[in-house]
Amino acid sequence: MTRKATLEDIGQLSELFDQYRIFYQKDSDLPAAEQFLTERIENEDSRIFVAESEGKLVGFVQLYPLFSSTRMKRYWLLNDLFVNENDRGKGFSKALIEKAKEMAKSAGACGILLETAKSNDIGNSLYPNCGFEIYDEVNF
């Protein structure tokens, strides 16, 4: 099941966020993760959706709002996607991406942008399977 994150999720969400940061070679810092995520939710700076299985959070996706001047619409930056190592391969990443796409469509956004490393084999396979296209004609 996927749903929008709430302040009641902060404990488990912070642990997942900390694991995500460790994956990207950042030092563990649970108090800072909790503060950061609390601020994002309270200030509505981002949209965070969580995947839940058997009453436990197993993954999350975080999107930040951006705007396109030429399209005069909002679009979303899919900045963070993470599923607990023990829960990978069970469809949670795809479900989180679908939830993000639903949110963007319902908000009238012109799209979702993401960036991933060329060495991210899983992401580079997952994202096209979820409808994302690689744009070679621009430098971003």
Side-chain angles (χ1 to χ4, degrees):
M1 175 180 106
T2 58
R3 60 175 174 76
K4 187 175 179 181
T6 67
L7 289 174
E8 289 84 38
D9 297 317
I10 288 296
Q12 289 184 61
L13 181 57
S14 297
E15 290 176 17
L16 286 170
F17 190 74
D18 197 56
Q19 291 173 31
Y20 169 75
R21 292 184 68 252
I22 291 168
F23 178 81
Y24 284 103
Q25 280 79 51
K26 303 297 180 193
D27 292 335
S28 176
D29 191 342
L30 272 171
E34 185 172 323
Q35 180 180 349
F36 181 81
L37 293 169
T38 298
E39 289 173 1
R40 299 297 69 74
I41 292 172
E42 287 181 342
N43 298 333
E44 297 184 357
D45 294 329
S46 68
R47 297 292 185 278
I48 305 172
F49 298 99
V50 293
E52 192 172 24
S53 178
E54 300 176 10
K56 179 182 153 207
L57 298 188
V58 297
F60 73 93
V61 63
Q62 182 166 213
L63 300 103
Y64 292 96
L66 300 170
F67 292 90
S68 170
S69 297
T70 56
R71 294 180 182 137
M72 295 188 293
K73 287 189 171 191
R74 174 177 280 184
Y75 65 100
W76 293 88
L77 172 63
L78 192 160
N79 200 70
D80 312 310
L81 175 65
F82 182 78
V83 172
N84 185 346
E85 189 174 2
N86 297 331
D87 296 295
R88 293 180 187 158
K90 298 177 183 176
F92 293 116
S93 292
K94 283 186 178 182
L96 287 164
I97 289 171
E98 287 305 313
K99 191 72 167 179
K101 288 167 59 176
E102 287 172 22
M103 181 274 302
K105 285 178 186 175
S106 69
C110 61
I112 296 176
L113 173 71
L114 65 83
E115 178 182 0
T116 190
K118 292 191 182 292
S119 62
N120 182 353
D121 295 332
I122 294 171
N124 288 317
S125 173
L126 172 68
Y127 297 128
N129 287 336
C130 291
F132 288 89
E133 298 176 16
I134 296 173
Y135 289 109
D136 290 327
E137 61 270 3
V138 293
N139 287 332
F140 182 76

